[in-house]
Amino acid sequence: MKKTVFVFSSLIVALLVLFKFSKYSYVSGDVSLEIVIAVIAIVFFIIGVYINKRTLQKEKLSSISIDYKKIEQLGISKREYEVLVQISDGLSNKEIADKLFVSESTIKTHVSSLLVKLDAKRRTQAIQKAKALQIIAI
Amino acid sequence: MKKTVFVFSSLIVALLVLFKFSKYSYVSGDVSLEIVIAVIAIVFFIIGVYINKRTLQKEKLSSISIDYKKIEQLGISKREYEVLVQISDGLSNKEIADKLFVSESTIKTHVSSLLVKLDAKRRTQAIQKAKALQIIAI
DNA sequence: TTGGGAGTCATACTAAAGTACCAAAACCAT
DNA sequence: ATGGTTTTGGTACTTTAGTATGACTCCCAA
C-alpha cells in the first residue's frame, strides 16, 4: 500500500515536471508540441504497462490466495492444516511425524479427521479437494 | 497478433487526434495546456494498464501448459500418463482400474513404473513432482 | 521375421495408509 | 477454576499401496 502511494506521488511529480518542460519547450520553440505530447503519451503508456505487470506478477507468484475462511468453515484445526500441507507435499505419515516432532499415530489421527472434514476417502483425494477449495497452494 | 496491430494502430490514431485537439485548444485558449497534457498522460496510463491486464489474464487462464516434451523425456508411456492423471485426481488403484477397464494389478504395474520414472516413493509424491514438472494440470 | 517395447495380468509378498476406540495432557476462554 | 477443544499417543485391526517376478499378447520398426 505504501508502495502504491509512493508510485502515484512520483507520477504526479513527473507529470508536473513534464508539463513545465513542455511549456518551456513550446514557448522557446526548441521542440514541437507534437513531439512533447507524443513523448508524454508513450512514457505514461509504458508506466501503465509496467505497473500492471508488477501487480499481476505478484498475484501470479502467490498463484492463488489461500481461503482461510474455508479452512475455518471446515473446522480444520491449525495442526491438522499443517499436516495437510505436508501431505500435499508428498510426505508419508512417518516423514510428517519426524518433521513435526510427534509420533506417527498422532499424524494418523490428524489425517483421519482431515479425511472426514474434507469428505475424502484417501489422502490423494484430500489433496485434490483441498486444492479445489483453494485452501492449499496449487 | 492481429489484435495487437489493431490496438497500436488505434493508439496512433488517438494520439494524432489528441494532438490536433490540443493544438487547437491551446491556440484558441479554451483549455489550458496543462490540462490537455494531464488528460493525455492519464488516458495513456490507463490504456497501458488495461492492455497489460488483458494479456496477463489470458496467460493466467490457460494456467500452465503441459510439457509434453518432458513426458517423453521421462519415458512415460501413454497408458502410464493416463494413470498418472487419475492418480492426481485422487482415485484409488481399484477405481482407476474400473475406469480404464483393466485389472487392478495392471494399474499397480503402471503405478510402480511411474514412481520409478518420476523418482517418487509414493503416489502423493508423484503428484507433487508431476505438477512441479508441469506434466499434469495444476 | 524377429526382437523389443507396451500393455496386460497373476501371485505372493511387505509396507504404508486408514479406521475405531480410547485416554491423557495441554490449552484457552468464560 | 472448570469445561470444551486441541493435541497427543497407544493398540489392534482392515484396507490400500507398492515391490518383485514371471508370463502372455500385440504391434511396430529394423
Side-chain angles (χ1 to χ4, degrees), chain A residues 8-125:
Chain A
F8 271 89
S9 306
S10 304
L11 274 179
I12 291 167
V13 171
L15 187 60
L16 289 173
V17 169
L18 275 168
F19 126 72
K20 273 287 176 199
F21 172 72
S22 65
K23 203 166 193 178
Y24 167 76
S25 301
Y26 187 62
V27 171
S28 65
D30 285 349
V31 190
S32 69
L33 184 60
E34 295 90 55
I35 291 178
V36 171
I37 290 180
V39 167
I40 290 174
I42 290 168
V43 166
F44 277 81
F45 176 75
I46 291 172
I47 289 173
V49 169
Y50 179 72
I51 283 186
N52 210 256
K53 202 166 202 168
R54 284 182 59 100
T55 309
L56 288 186
Q57 261 179 354
K58 227 184 268 171
E59 260 179 53
K60 211 177 179 181
L61 269 183
S62 66
S63 210
I64 272 177
S65 56
I66 290 169
D67 192 346
Y68 293 103
K69 287 172 197 166
K70 192 131 260 159
I71 298 175
E72 216 187 330
Q73 275 173 26
L74 293 170
I76 295 174
S77 73
K78 239 183 246 176
R79 203 59 163 166
E80 283 165 357
Y81 183 72
E82 285 185 77
V83 172
L84 178 59
V85 171
Q86 299 303 320
I87 287 175
S88 84
D89 233 51
L91 300 194
S92 70
N93 289 338
K94 187 78 194 68
E95 287 170 341
I96 298 172
D98 291 344
K99 201 164 185 178
L100 301 185
F101 304 108
V102 291
S103 79
E104 194 186 342
S105 65
T106 302
I107 301 299
K108 283 191 177 186
T109 307
H110 289 321
V111 172
S112 278
S113 63
L114 269 173
L115 293 182
V116 172
K117 288 170 184 176
L118 285 170
D119 189 30
K121 285 185 201 146
R122 284 163 291 285
R123 49 170 60 210
T124 50
Q125 201 177 5

Side-chain angles (χ1 to χ4, degrees), chain A residues 19 23 34 95 122 138, chain B residues 19 34 37 95 122 138:
Chain A
F19 126 72
K23 203 166 193 178
E34 295 90 55
E95 287 170 341
R122 284 163 291 285
I138 285 192
Chain B
F19 125 72
E34 297 88 54
I37 290 179
E95 287 171 341
R122 284 163 291 284
I138 285 192

